[in-house]
């Protein structure tokens, strides 16, 4: 089958490895992250130009099925994939790794979005560690709290209201503990991305009794077929 694999995540890159043996896969990346490791096989980069552009691209490249393995917070791309595939009556499957779940000892404050997260912060601490990526930083500009923001790539323009830490996971527990302690962090903010690559910060926060503000995922529209593993994607394509 000729498959469009919407990526930009480690999950999508690993999925491309798995699918390449049986299918003709084109991986698509937004093309914004520097030094991103490319998936195996054919890769295209850059936006499609909205739903219209994606629809035209799917037709032009004779795509028979679309797998959306974008990040759980890449809601616009997912909405575009749903609109384009339903207009063309093409099968669409969304691969979403499971979110993180609260464990005994966690002090979690769940919020629906970044603005709500920013609003609760002053009640929880004075020294904030933001691990939400560079795109969501704007919501935290006016908290008035000392803030350390960790991002893979530098935000543009560079923020003047926070300290910046440029780093790329995976992160180990010892390193995360050391960072929280040495920077005297008293509240952590993260998106509920799920996965193992960046989960150590949650364990470190639990060990140190540091509260976590967890921004929940944007909900998927109802009726969209969703799975959690590469094996399930393989089985779906075979069917
Ligand atoms: P988004 O808000 O859902 O998408 C914004 C626009 O970027 C889309 O309308 C599309 O442009 C383009 N785009 C996004 N993903 C694309 C893909 N795989 N291939 C081609 N174009 C794509 O996405 P985002 O949150 O900015 O994330 C961008 C990419 O980074 C995604 O691929 C995602 O998997 C990855 N990522 C996101 C996060 C996060 O926290 N949001 C974290 C890690 C990785 P057009 O409308 O022009 O087609």
């Amino acid at each position: 089958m000729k498959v469009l694999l919407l990526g930009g995540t480690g999950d999508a890159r690993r999925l491309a490895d798995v699918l390449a043996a049986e299918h003709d896969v084109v991986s698509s990346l937004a093309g914004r992250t520097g030094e991103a490791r490319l998936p195996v096989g054919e890769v295209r980069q850059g936006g499609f130009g909205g739903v219209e552009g994606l629809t035209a691209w799917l037709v032009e490249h004779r795509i028979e099925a679309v797998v959306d393995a974008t990040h759980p917070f890449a809601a616009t791309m997912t909405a575009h994939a749903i609109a384009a595939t339903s207009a063309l009556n093409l099968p669409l499957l969304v691969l979403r790794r499971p979110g993180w779940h609260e464990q005994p000892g966690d002090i979690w404050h769940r919020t629906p979005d970044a603005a709500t997260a920013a609003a609760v912060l002053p009640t929880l601490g004075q020294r904030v560690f933001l691990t939400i990526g560079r795109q969501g930083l704007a919501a935290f500009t006016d908290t008035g709290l000392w803030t350390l923001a960790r991002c893979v790539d530098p935000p543009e323009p560079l923020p003047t209201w926070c300290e910046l830490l440029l780093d790329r996971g995976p992160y180990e527990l010892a390193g995360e503990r050391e960072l929280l302690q040495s920077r005297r962090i008293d509240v952590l903010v993260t998106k509920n991305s799920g996965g193992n690559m960046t989960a150590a910060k949650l364990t470190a926060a639990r060990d140190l009794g540091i509260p976590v503000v967890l921004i929940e995922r944007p909900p998927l529209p109802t009726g969209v077929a969703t799975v959690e593993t590469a094996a399930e994607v393989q089985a779906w394509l075979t069917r």
Side-chain angles (χ1 to χ4, degrees):
M1 278 190 105
K2 184 143 192 204
V3 180
L4 173 64
L5 172 54
L6 297 168
T9 58
D11 292 340
R13 202 175 53 242
R14 288 184 285 276
L15 182 60
D17 282 341
V18 172
L19 299 183
E22 288 177 34
H23 301 282
D24 182 2
V25 178
V26 182
S27 290
S28 176
L29 307 175
R32 288 193 218 123
T33 309
E35 301 170 37
R37 278 169 55 203
L38 293 181
V40 297
E42 192 178 337
V43 178
R44 66 161 301 285
Q45 298 206 48
F48 294 95
V51 176
E52 206 179 308
L54 175 59
T55 308
W57 192 95
L58 292 170
V59 172
E60 188 188 334
H61 292 83
R62 300 172 186 276
I63 297 296
E64 298 171 87
V66 178
V67 176
D68 174 3
T70 56
H71 191 271
F73 283 80
T76 305
M77 189 66 248
T78 296
H80 290 182
I82 293 168
T85 52
S86 68
L88 296 172
N89 206 17
L90 279 181
L92 168 71
L93 184 67
V94 175
L95 172 70
R96 282 283 179 278
R97 58 185 178 225
W100 291 315
H101 296 288
E102 205 164 347
Q103 296 185 31
D106 282 330
I107 310 163
W108 282 12
H109 300 261
R110 295 165 183 275
T111 65
D113 51 44
T116 317
V120 301
L121 277 182
T123 65
L124 297 172
Q126 292 299 312
R127 294 179 64 85
V128 179
F129 184 30
L130 279 185
T131 62
I132 54 161
R134 60 179 167 166
Q135 291 187 74
L137 290 182
F140 297 88
T141 313
D142 296 325
T143 60
L145 305 171
W146 182 89
T147 301
L148 175 68
R150 182 165 69 191
C151 310
V152 174
D153 292 303
E156 291 166 8
L158 279 177
T160 51
W161 55 273
C162 65
E163 261 189 50
L164 208 54
L165 175 60
L166 297 181
D167 204 355
R168 185 192 289 271
Y171 300 104
E172 302 292 336
L173 179 57
E176 297 293 64
R177 278 184 73 117
E178 202 281 323
L179 180 66
L180 293 176
Q181 286 181 304
S182 64
R183 307 313 297 269
R184 293 183 289 116
I185 300 300
D186 47 24
V187 56
L188 165 71
V189 185
T190 181
K191 300 193 284 198
N192 193 354
S193 300
N196 297 326
M197 303 261 288
T198 60
K201 62 191 170 190
L202 297 171
T203 311
R206 183 186 314 132
D207 292 349
L208 298 169
I210 293 174
V212 176
V213 178
L214 191 86
I215 303 171
E216 290 294 3
R217 299 169 171 202
L220 272 174
T222 47
V224 179
T226 309
V227 295
E228 294 185 344
T229 64
E232 290 170 288
V233 177
Q234 253 184 321
W236 178 81
L237 283 172
T238 305
R239 276 202 303 278

